[in-house]
């Protein structure tokens, strides 16, 4: 506040941003207009304010003209507020004496009429000039950062990040929803384009996670509550009962063998339902931790209570405990990495491809399990009748690049379809047809892999498939599935009879992504993937400080990219941890004792219980450590006794008046 | 009568376009506004944005001040219910919105002049649509006379 009656000396800087602003707003006119506003000492326009010379221009003027307030009229404060605050600080002025005006995202990029846009820019500059006069010097709060980290999701991204952080000496809590880590990568047989065996490169990493002294691995667990702020999160993790005591079980499989069910009866999730499992099971031989789990929805004990509990008697380590209850763990961490991954598109949503209707229409994930030597068919690609197919059609872009389902390209399907084409050909010698829209193979060695397939006698038909049908028109088509597609290369519709159809399903946000998003207070982009702070410059950061994202939860991506992002997210978290403390915006609220009447209106309104009532003084008081600076109490106080730093009434009112009053 | 003619003349001399005060929360609607910009969506230059951290900071007096200073309309933007960055600030904003609506009715101010929209960070398109719609509505409704009326009272 200008209560010390200092003379307000404002410098206004209008950025051209190349043509970004100057092309749609009369920047020179705005600068000339600003120069005439009260308290403005100097007003300049410059090509790129955020560049070094631009920042130096401000610093030099602060000294030369003895400026004590700065208005930078350029892009969004969410992008460059930090830059200009730093420039202000460097010149020896408190950074909160700087106010930004957004005439790029809010004006030049969205408003087409040159005169209107210029008029609007002038209004906004005038508002900021009036506001900045009331701004006060403030200091950032420093709070220590808890060095522990929480990683949610144990797929390849979570595993990589966990190992990086743990190797850097940080305590890592890795929370996984399923009973084992590994995620989607554990399901795959081979990885493109090198055809590395997925298990061979993944399972050693899974064991490293299990054995790392710095990693606490909680599988079959979910985050149930999150409180706190950057550097200081309090997280509640619910460990679901697996009815097997993890510390006692050695994964000997005796319980599975002795289960009252002699054969598997329920769809095996890991094998995509291609095989059956018992109520007590280990998802796959390399599951980590290698601990059995009892599914209480199918186990007779839980359904009727009348089981002889043969599994329990079989276990010589007394590891089975039917009375296990959900266990709540409370942890404190400074940073959070979300690596929750994706889910495959449900092929039943495109009924014209016949998944669920024709038995020999498979999804790509089912075929991944089939070609896997430890899969349900021991590596044989078989139709539902148990025969090796003589011809196979792979349909690309199922649930991708489609107005009716998802508009985005899932980025991995072309490459994994090529991989599956190669593997199917290798396993069965069948004729393989790829139906694609465009072949998208950007990546190291990817195009070369495509080229290799072109020489492997795999057929490529360019065109979107219209339907898969069993409606035959000639005796040769008897017993086959017909793929109807336009071949845009020859300009005609073709019918290809095949024994097996593989649908290359795309990637989509997980059903529970919204829940997780809300819990960690981050945003999603339109399609439902987690939103990064900046698509290019902050791809693993979120708008919530201390929460980072990596892998397919942020958008479709393959294994190399997920691992790279996991590394980036881990590095970002390490920067926070190793700097030891974070600086918080001082936009907290405070109470002016002399004005507070003790009416208690504010007490119940604070979502963080930061306001308490001092009975002795008969006044409310705010605990700054708990206040997050929303300003709700400020607006609720009937006596205007509560103020919010950076957003004081006088600042906002002067800004509003500045917009309208010339 | 004469005064009306005079007013009309002034309006045609400098074609009147609505001025809408937009009060956006930092986390959802302001970010959506940035997104609209980055996506180069187009909407009329009728809004003037004031950023607050949370729509819960909305003081009813912001609205009344804006009207009496010459705002033709006010658009408030916050996070969707359940999505508030500060847990429940948007609900408090909603309560105050209802209060102001009542007051506006008593003061005979057209309800169209105040609008509350939940616009998330990903809804840049929605933001552009709302501003487009609102500009159209207010253009039809005409210039707000509140500033003039307040000035008359003060005289």
């Amino acid at each position: 506040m200008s209560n010390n009656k200092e003379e307000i000396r404002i410098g206004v800087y209008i950025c051209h941003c190349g043509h970004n602003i100057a092309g749609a707003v009369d920047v020179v006119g705005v600068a000339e207009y600003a120069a005439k506003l009260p308290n403005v000492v100097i007003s300049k326009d410059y090509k790129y304010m955020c560049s070094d010379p631009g920042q130096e221009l401000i610093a030099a003027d602060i000294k030369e003209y003895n400026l004590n307030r700065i208005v930078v009229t350029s892009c969004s404060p969410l992008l460059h507020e930090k830059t200009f605050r730093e420039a202000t600080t460097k010149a020896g002025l408190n950074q909160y004496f700087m106010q930004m005006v957004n005439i790029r995202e809010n004006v030049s990029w969205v408003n087409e009429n040159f005169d209107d846009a210029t008029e609007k820019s002038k209004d906004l500059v005038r508002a900021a000039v009036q506001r900045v006069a009331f701004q006060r010097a403030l200091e950032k709060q420093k709070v220590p950062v808890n060095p522990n980290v929480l990683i949610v999701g144990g797929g390849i991204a979570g595993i990589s990040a966990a190992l990086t952080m743990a190797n850097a000496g940080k305590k890592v809590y890795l929370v996984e929803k399923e009973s084992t880590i590994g995620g989607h990568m554990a399901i795959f047989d081979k990885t493109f384009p090198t055809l590395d065996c997925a298990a061979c490169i993944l399972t050693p990493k899974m064991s490293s996670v299990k054995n790392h002294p710095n990693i606490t691995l909680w599988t079959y667990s979910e985050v149930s509550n999150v409180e706190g702020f950057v550097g200081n999160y309090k997280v509640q993790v619910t460990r679901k009962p697996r009815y097997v005591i993890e510390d006692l079980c050695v994964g000997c499989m005796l319980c599975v063998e002795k289960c009252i069910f002699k054969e598997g009866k329920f769809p095996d999730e890991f094998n995509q339902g291609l095989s059956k499992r018992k109520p007590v099971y280990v998802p796959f031989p390399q599951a980590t931790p290698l601990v059995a789990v009892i599914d209480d929805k199918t186990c007779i004990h839980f359904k009727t209570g009348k089981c002889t509990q043969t599994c329990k008697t079989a276990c010589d380590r007394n590891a089975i405990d039917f009375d296990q209850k959900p266990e709540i763990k409370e942890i404190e961490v400074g940073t959070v990495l979300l690596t929750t991954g994706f889910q495959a598109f449900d092929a039943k949503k495109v009924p014209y491809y016949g998944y669920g209707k024709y038995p020999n229409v498979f999804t790509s994930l089912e075929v991944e399990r089939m070609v896997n030597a430890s899969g349900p068919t021991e590596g044989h690609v078989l139709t539902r009748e148990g025969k090796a197919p003589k011809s196979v059609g792979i349909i690309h872009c199922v649930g991708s690049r489609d107005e009716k389902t998802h508009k985005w390209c899932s980025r991995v399907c072309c490459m994994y379809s090529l991989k599956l084409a190669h593997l199917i050909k290798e396993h069965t010698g069948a004729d393989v047809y790829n139906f694609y829209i465009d072949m998208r193979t950007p990546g190291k060695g990817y195009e070369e892999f495509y080229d290799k397939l072109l020489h492997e006698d795999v057929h490529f038909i360019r065109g979107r498939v219209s339907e898969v049908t069993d409606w035959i028109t000639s005796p040769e088509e008897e017993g086959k599935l017909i793929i109807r597609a336009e071949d845009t290369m020859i300009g005609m519709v073709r019918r290809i009879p095949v024994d097996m159809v593989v649908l290359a399903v795309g990637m989509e946000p997980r059903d529970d992504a919204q829940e997780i998003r809300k819990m960690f207070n981050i945003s999603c982009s339109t399609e439902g993937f987690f939103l990064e702070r900046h698509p290019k410059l902050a791809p693993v950061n979120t708008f919530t400080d201390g929460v980072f994202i990596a892998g397919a939860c942020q958008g479709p991506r393959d294994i190399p990219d997920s691992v790279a992002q996991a590394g980036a997210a881990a590095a970002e978290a390490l920067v926070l941890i190793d700097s030891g403390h974070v600086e918080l915006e001082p936009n907290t609220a405070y109470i002016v004792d002399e004005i507070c009447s003790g009416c208690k209106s504010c007490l119940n309104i604070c979502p963080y219980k930061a306001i308490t009532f001092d009975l002795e003084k008969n006044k409310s008081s705010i605990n700054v450590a708990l206040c997050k600076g929303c300003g709700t109490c400020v607006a609720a106080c009937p006596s205007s006794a509560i103020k919010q730093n950076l957003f004081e009434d006088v600042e906002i009112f002067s800004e509003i008046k500045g917009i309208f009053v010339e | 009568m004469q005064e009306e003619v005079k007013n009309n003349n002034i309006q045609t001399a400098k074609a009147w376009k609505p001025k809408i005060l937009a009060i956006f929360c930092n986390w959802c609607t302001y970010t959506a506004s940035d997104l609209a910009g980055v996506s180069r969506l187009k909407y009329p230059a009728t809004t003037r944005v004031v950023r607050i951290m949370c729509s819960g900071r909305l003081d009813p007096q912001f609205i009344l001040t804006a009207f009496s200073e010459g705002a033709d309309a006010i658009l408030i933007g916050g996070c969707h219910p359940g999505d508030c960055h500060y847990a429940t600030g948007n609900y408090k904003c909603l309560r105050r919105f209802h209060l102001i609506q009542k007051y506006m009715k008593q003061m005979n101010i057209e309800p169209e002049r105040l609008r509350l929209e939940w616009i998330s960070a990903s809804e840049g398109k929605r933001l552009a649509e709302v501003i487009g719609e609102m500009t159209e509505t207010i253009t039809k409704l005409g210039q707000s006379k509140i500033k003039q009326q307040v000035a008359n009272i003060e005289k």
Side-chain angles (χ1 to χ4, degrees):
Chain A
M1 251 176 293
S2 51
N3 49 6
N4 53 0
K5 296 279 182 263
E6 57 166 348
E7 187 200 353
I8 302 292
R9 299 177 64 81
I10 305 174
V12 182
Y13 299 88
I14 321 285
C15 180
H16 294 206
C17 195
H19 281 294
N20 282 304
I21 296 173
V25 172
D26 174 12
V27 280
V28 178
V30 175
E32 283 168 4
Y33 174 80
K36 292 180 202 134
L37 292 170
N39 297 329
V40 174
V41 177
I42 184 88
S43 168
K44 289 180 176 171
D45 60 284
Y46 188 73
K47 206 151 191 94
Y48 289 104
M49 282 315 303
C50 60
S51 66
D52 272 352
Q55 294 184 46
E56 279 158 21
L57 181 72
I58 299 176
D61 282 0
I62 289 177
K63 293 203 175 93
E64 190 180 341
Y65 297 96
N66 201 16
L67 303 175
N68 53 21
R69 298 289 190 281
I70 301 296
V71 172
V72 181
T73 306
S74 56
C75 50
S76 170
L78 304 186
L79 186 69
H80 269 317
E81 193 170 55
K82 200 167 170 261
T83 313
F84 293 115
R85 278 181 175 175
E86 278 168 9
T88 312
T89 310
K90 260 190 219 161
L93 195 61
N94 186 282
Q95 56 182 329
Y96 296 100
F97 283 139
M98 193 280 303
Q99 174 70 11
M100 271 186 92
V101 182
N102 179 355
I103 60 162
R104 193 178 73 171
E105 285 83 348
N106 275 351
V107 183
S108 68
W109 277 352
V110 288
N111 299 145
E112 286 172 305
N113 183 314
F114 191 84
D115 292 340
D116 287 355
T118 304
E119 197 65 23
K120 180 173 170 181
S121 303
K122 286 180 186 171
D123 286 353
L124 291 170
V125 169
R126 193 173 59 236
V129 164
Q130 297 206 15
R131 183 194 209 274
V132 80
F134 293 96
Q135 284 177 205
R136 291 185 300 123
L138 295 165
E139 293 305 326
K140 286 197 170 187
Q141 270 177 269
K142 270 190 178 181
V143 290
V145 175
N146 184 318
N148 300 346
V149 59
L150 165 72
I151 299 180
V152 187
I156 184 59
I159 289 172
S160 304
L163 288 173
T164 307
M165 301 283 299
N167 288 338
K170 309 302 172 202
K171 169 87 198 145
V172 177
Y173 295 94
L174 179 59
V175 174
E176 166 60 45
K177 195 176 184 175
E178 303 298 331
S179 63
T180 169
I181 53 170
H184 278 92
M185 188 174 169
I187 295 172
F188 306 151
D189 179 44
K190 297 218 159 51
T191 55
F192 60 76
T194 48
L195 298 176
D196 284 311
C197 147
C200 313
I201 54 177
L202 177 67
T203 51
K205 281 193 172 288
M206 289 161 64
S207 332
S208 304
V209 166
K210 175 82 185 89
N211 298 324
H212 205 295
N214 288 346
I215 300 179
T216 299
L217 173 61
W218 285 332
T219 55
Y220 222 49
S221 304
E222 283 175 45
V223 174
S224 41
N225 193 36
V226 181
E227 279 173 25
F229 54 93
V230 53
N232 301 273
Y233 287 105
K234 281 199 179 79
V235 181
Q236 213 176 60
V237 178
T238 305
R239 304 210 62 199
K240 296 178 279 185
R242 65 199 296 158
Y243 306 107
V244 176
I245 300 165
E246 216 176 303
D247 297 337
L248 296 179
C249 176
V250 287
C252 70
M253 306 287 282
L254 258 179
C255 54
V256 182
E257 221 171 273
K258 299 289 180 193
C259 173
I260 197 95
F261 285 98
K262 290 286 162 270
E263 296 291 326
K265 200 182 165 200
F266 310 99
D268 183 335
E269 296 87 354
F270 185 76
N271 281 334
Q272 307 298 306
L274 290 179
S275 64
K276 300 277 163 78
R277 62 158 172 82
K278 298 179 181 180
V280 55
Y281 66 105
V282 173
F284 58 101
Q286 300 95 336
T288 307
L290 190 60
V291 174
V293 55
I294 297 175
D295 173 12
D296 53 14
K297 285 179 196 72
T298 51
C299 173
I300 291 186
H301 170 77
F302 289 102
K303 284 174 77 183
T304 65
K306 286 181 190 156
C307 184
T308 49
Q309 305 189 352
T310 43
C311 55
K312 194 171 179 171
T313 39
C315 182
D316 52 8
R317 299 177 61 87
N318 288 327
I320 293 184
D321 174 12
F322 284 112
D323 298 323
Q324 223 174 43
K325 295 277 175 290
E327 193 186 345
I328 308 277
K329 297 274 190 187
E330 305 258 1
I331 53 172
E332 289 184 7
V333 297
T335 46
V336 178
L337 268 59
L338 298 178
T339 52
T340 51
F342 68 100
Q343 68 185 27
F345 175 75
D346 177 7
K348 285 195 178 120
K349 288 184 182 159
V350 281
Y352 37 91
Y353 290 163
Y355 183 73
K357 181 179 174 196
Y358 305 121
N360 285 321
V361 178
F362 292 86
T363 67
S364 44
L365 281 178
E366 288 171 333
V367 180
E368 289 281 357
R369 290 313 299 153
M370 264 199 259
V371 291
N372 191 303
S374 63
T377 55
E378 288 164 352
H380 300 291
V381 178
L382 301 172
T383 62
R384 303 263 182 199
E385 296 79 30
K387 284 190 285 191
K390 291 199 174 64
S391 51
V392 178
I394 301 177
I395 303 176
H396 290 220
C397 300
V398 178
S400 305
R401 305 187 67 198
D402 183 357
E403 290 278 340
K404 294 191 205 86
T405 55
H406 299 318
K407 284 188 182 173
W408 60 86
C409 166
S410 293
R411 288 189 54 185
V412 295
C413 320
C414 281
M415 282 306 294
Y416 80 59
S417 295
L418 292 173
K419 173 192 77 180
L420 289 177
H422 169 85
L423 293 175
I424 292 169
K425 188 118 191 119
E426 189 181 78
H427 283 56
T428 63
D431 273 334
V432 181
Y433 299 86
N434 269 277
F435 296 85
Y436 68 100
I437 307 176
D438 296 294
M439 194 57 77
R440 294 191 166 175
T441 57
K444 195 173 180 180
Y446 289 12
E447 184 68 18
E448 292 87 330
F449 187 74
Y450 173 35
D451 199 51
K452 175 174 131 98
L453 265 282
L454 286 172
H455 293 93
E456 276 183 13
D457 209 14
V458 172
H459 307 282
F460 288 91
I461 296 169
R462 186 175 182 276
R464 190 185 268 287
V465 172
S466 63
E467 67 168 344
V468 173
T469 173
D470 60 356
W471 175 64
I472 57 169
T473 54
S474 64
E476 301 86 75
E477 292 178 350
E478 183 71 49
K480 303 234 177 206
L481 288 168
I482 318 299
I483 298 175
R484 295 183 68 216
E486 185 189 5
D487 187 334
T488 59
M489 291 297 197
I490 54 171
M492 59 183 283
V493 175
R494 293 176 68 178
R495 294 171 59 89
I496 311 279
V498 292
D499 295 322
M500 180 189 249
V501 173
V502 182
L503 303 181
V505 287
M507 292 163 111
E508 63 181 19
R510 291 179 61 91
D511 284 339
D512 55 10
Q514 291 294 326
E515 262 171 66
I516 294 170
R517 171 183 76 80
K518 281 183 186 170
M519 202 141 40
F520 289 96
N521 219 339
I522 62 169
S523 300
C524 281
S525 42
T526 324
E527 66 276 10
F529 290 111
F530 294 156
L531 185 67
E532 65 287 341
R533 187 181 269 263
H534 191 279
K536 295 174 186 71
L537 302 179
V540 296
N541 303 65
T542 66
F543 283 101
T544 302
D545 287 332
V547 178
F548 305 95
I549 48 177
C553 61
Q554 187 258 352
R557 72 177 27 83
D558 57 14
I559 295 165
D561 285 3
S562 296
V563 173
Q565 261 201 333
E572 290 281 353
L574 286 170
V575 168
L576 254 183
I577 296 170
D578 285 347
S579 58
H581 65 268
V582 277
E583 289 189 327
L584 299 182
E585 275 283 280
N587 60 351
T588 46
Y590 62 97
I591 292 177
V592 182
D593 271 357
E594 298 79 59
I595 312 178
C596 176
S597 66
C599 73
K600 299 183 185 173
S601 306
C602 53
L603 287 185
N604 291 327
I605 216 157
C606 177
Y608 304 106
K609 302 187 178 67
I611 311 181
T612 48
F613 195 73
D614 186 334
L615 280 171
E616 244 169 62
K617 288 203 284 183
N618 196 36
K619 287 176 198 307
S620 294
S621 83
I622 294 175
N623 180 345
V624 183
L626 295 177
C627 174
K628 290 198 186 177
C630 61
T632 304
C633 58
V634 186
C637 177
S639 341
S640 301
I642 312 183
K643 315 263 183 211
Q644 184 187 9
N645 287 325
L646 286 178
F647 294 90
E648 301 221 5
D649 276 346
V650 62
E651 292 167 357
I652 299 175
F653 280 120
S654 56
E655 190 177 352
I656 293 174
K657 284 181 188 164
I659 289 172
F660 298 103
V661 185
E662 292 201 23
Chain B
M1 183 69 190
Q2 246 185 346
E3 215 173 77
E4 251 184 61
V5 173
K6 208 173 139 194
N7 274 344
N8 280 342
N9 284 344
I10 292 166
Q11 285 199 11
T12 40
K14 191 186 165 190
W16 168 80
K17 282 179 185 166
K19 255 194 203 181
I20 304 169
L21 172 68
I23 302 178
F24 291 162
C25 82
N26 182 65
W27 302 98
C28 286
T29 315
Y30 195 85
T31 313
S33 178
D34 272 5
L35 176 65
V38 174
S39 318
R40 308 297 199 278
L41 304 174
K42 299 297 172 206
Y43 56 81
T46 47
T47 48
R48 310 285 185 268
V49 180
V50 168
R51 180 170 65 108
I52 48 181
M53 292 311 284
C54 176
S55 58
R57 175 70 181 87
L58 181 88
D59 187 326
Q61 289 192 58
F62 295 166
I63 310 293
L64 306 180
T65 304
F67 275 133
S68 63
E69 298 292 355
D72 293 306
I74 293 149
L75 169 64
I76 307 158
C79 307
H80 283 271
D83 280 5
C84 177
H85 189 83
Y86 302 101
T88 53
N90 50 356
Y91 296 132
K92 276 123 196 177
C93 171
L94 181 64
R95 287 189 214 164
R96 293 175 197 147
F97 172 73
H98 289 313
L99 180 79
I100 308 161
Q101 272 186 320
K102 255 187 201 166
Y103 180 79
M104 285 171 63
K105 199 176 170 192
Q106 289 165 358
M107 292 292 121
N108 211 10
I109 303 172
E110 299 91 335
E112 295 90 332
R113 295 195 188 273
L114 180 67
R115 187 161 168 179
L116 169 67
E117 284 291 334
W118 308 133
I119 301 174
S120 78
S122 63
E123 293 176 316
K125 201 168 157 235
R126 174 84 190 125
L127 180 103
E129 282 165 7
V130 167
I131 294 175
E133 280 168 30
M134 207 165 164
T135 303
E136 207 172 302
T137 313
I138 302 303
T139 308
K140 275 185 201 149
L141 204 61
Q143 195 165 4
S144 161
K145 296 190 178 62
I146 303 165
K147 186 180 179 178
Q148 192 59 46
Q149 286 163 347
V150 171
N152 288 343
I153 296 165
E154 279 170 1
K155 264 182 216 163

